[in-house]
Amino acid sequence: MAARLALIGLGAMGHPIARNLAAKRASGAETLVAIDTDPARLAGLDGPGLVATTDPGRAAGAEVLFLCLPNGDAVEAALLGTGALAERLAPGAVVVDLSTVAHDQALAVGRAVAATGRAFVDAPVSGAPAGAEAGTLTVMCGGAAGAVARVRPLLERIGTTILHMGPAGAGQLTKTINNVLYDINIAALAEVLPMAVAMGLDPDQVAQVVTTGTSRSYAAQYFVPRILRGQFDEGYPMGAAYKDLVAAAAVAAENGFPMPVTAAATATYQTALRQGHGDRDKGAMVLPFEELLGVRVRSRP
């Protein structure tokens, strides 16, 4: 097992992932360098075998480098930008990108990393911050079988479902599919719940049905209670998450795949973004429909 690990990106997902990687380390000789340029994100990252720093250069020499960054541009900058970190990792190192990145960009980054003699595994995760805290994430891997096998014991520290989806890029394709289905579900809730209230149904009772009946889903169980409270600041910001629908549209356009339901959900998403809700979570997609119908999907006093 690698004796020196590094992780760049200590946001809502990366911070608990770093803690789990370090807490479950295999031996006393193993170290994890946890890196973020924001000093506030280093808080709570201390303990045996764990070094927290704002200096990305401290990842040089790592045998396995994890990335947990907000988008593909940030991944490119970390690996291939100033300092060319990909070339400064240990010979034969593996880069494991836990970020959510467009398929084409993941392939391009993977090729650039391979050109340095290092391996690249695109390994986006699903499970939200709660799953990252509990170490129960689902990890979808794309890359060479040998590279995935090498890092699997490390991934098992942060997730309970580790899947090798296929060659490079397959992990990101799978994550896009997962996220788009999630987005479609939320867009449908945003459209239908205000209609139910406009027709005179009780919001709380409708909520009970859609979170316990045949239409129940993780999206409903997570967002509907928050919509009832008017709380739209707990999930991942809608503006940042929009990249998933952009990635799906690019794959569909390139391959000529008709995706009418996805296109309709994207329009709902875009409407909320155009109305200035990008800093709120995806549940805020309900707000334009509430305004349009003149109702509020809120618990009644």
Side-chain angles (χ1 to χ4, degrees):
M1 183 54 57
R4 190 162 190 274
L5 316 177
L7 185 149
I8 299 177
L10 301 173
M13 298 294 287
H15 197 282
I17 286 172
R19 293 200 307 271
N20 280 323
L21 282 171
K24 301 174 184 178
R25 63 193 186 128
S27 71
E30 184 184 285
T31 61
L32 171 69
V33 181
I35 303 163
D36 199 291
T37 55
D38 181 354
R41 292 182 170 179
L42 305 184
L45 290 175
D46 50 29
L50 179 58
V51 177
T53 177
T54 59
D55 180 11
R58 295 286 297 276
E63 295 169 78
V64 179
L65 170 64
F66 292 92
L67 302 173
C68 196
L69 296 168
N71 53 54
D73 291 344
V75 170
E76 284 194 20
L79 290 174
L80 310 172
T82 304
L85 180 57
E87 298 179 3
R88 298 165 59 205
L89 300 173
V94 181
V95 176
V96 182
D97 185 17
L98 305 173
S99 320
T100 298
V101 176
H103 178 246
D104 286 350
Q105 195 166 24
L107 291 177
V109 172
R111 287 192 293 268
V113 171
T116 73
R118 283 79 177 177
F120 182 82
V121 175
D122 55 290
V125 299
S126 182
E133 290 281 355
T136 58
L137 294 170
T138 294
V139 188
M140 299 150 272
C141 302
V148 174
R150 179 177 166 190
V151 299
R152 180 179 288 273
L154 298 172
L155 295 175
E156 289 173 348
R157 300 184 193 178
I158 67 172
T160 52
T161 303
I162 316 300
L163 300 169
H164 185 196
M165 303 305 302
Q172 294 297 349
L173 276 177
T174 307
K175 179 66 182 290
T176 296
I177 289 168
N178 182 71
N179 284 3
V180 167
L181 288 170
Y182 187 48
D183 291 341
I184 290 170
N185 196 178
I186 299 166
L189 290 165
E191 177 181 320
V192 173
L193 292 179
M195 179 195 75
V197 175
M199 292 300 293
L201 295 176
D202 178 86
D204 289 296
Q205 290 186 322
V206 171
Q208 288 186 54
V209 172
V210 302
T211 57
T212 64
T214 54
S215 66
R216 70 186 182 278
S217 65
Y218 177 82
Q221 291 169 335
Y222 183 86
F223 282 108
V224 171
R226 288 164 173 78
I227 291 172
L228 290 174
R229 297 195 299 266
Q231 186 171 358
F232 303 105
D233 60 357
E234 285 197 352
Y236 192 60
M238 196 187 315
Y242 181 59
K243 64 181 182 292
D244 300 321
L245 290 166
V246 173
V251 171
E254 182 178 350
N255 293 279
F257 298 147
M259 299 180 68
V261 177
T262 301
T266 301
T268 295
Y269 211 120
Q270 291 166 335
T271 300
L273 292 176
R274 293 295 296 177
Q275 290 193 4
H277 301 304
D279 291 335
R280 295 178 165 184
D281 62 37
K282 295 178 184 181
M285 277 191 263
V286 76
L287 297 175
F289 290 96
E290 290 182 337
E291 181 179 348
L292 181 65
L293 301 185
V295 298
R296 286 289 181 266
V297 185
R298 303 291 183 273
S299 291
R300 293 175 179 173

